[in-house]
Structure formats: C-alpha cells, structure tokens
C-alpha cells in the first residue's frame, strides 16, 4: 500500500478539478452569498 500523500489525494484533487470546471460559476455564487450572510449575521 502506497501512502504517498500526492498519490493518496490525487483522486480528490481530480474530483474537485472537474467540479470546478463544470460548476465553478454556481460554486462561486453560493460562496459569495454565504459570505454575505456570514458578514451580516
């Protein structure tokens, strides 16, 4: 079993990369609204 951190986290980074590539605009909008709610609240 290889416990190299780069190889261990590679599938997670690829999943995040594809999520940002496909739905990056919507993620940005959600984080902006959450930040505004956190500032107000």
């Amino acid at each position: 079993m290889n416990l190299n951190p780069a190889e261990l986290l590679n599938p997670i980074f690829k999943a995040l990369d594809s999520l940002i590539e496909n739905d990056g605009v919507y993620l940005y909008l959600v984080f902006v609204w959450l930040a505004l709610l956190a500032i107000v609240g």
Side-chain angles (χ1 to χ4, degrees):
M1 183 171 175
N2 192 358
L3 293 179
N4 184 3
E7 290 185 24
L8 189 65
L9 295 176
N10 199 23
I12 297 172
F13 288 140
K14 284 188 178 187
L16 285 174
D17 190 34
S18 67
L19 180 69
I20 291 170
E21 183 179 345
N22 295 331
D23 300 322
V25 174
Y26 302 114
L27 288 172
Y28 175 75
L29 290 173
V30 167
F31 285 125
V32 166
W33 280 105
L34 287 176
L36 288 173
L37 289 174
I39 291 170
V40 170

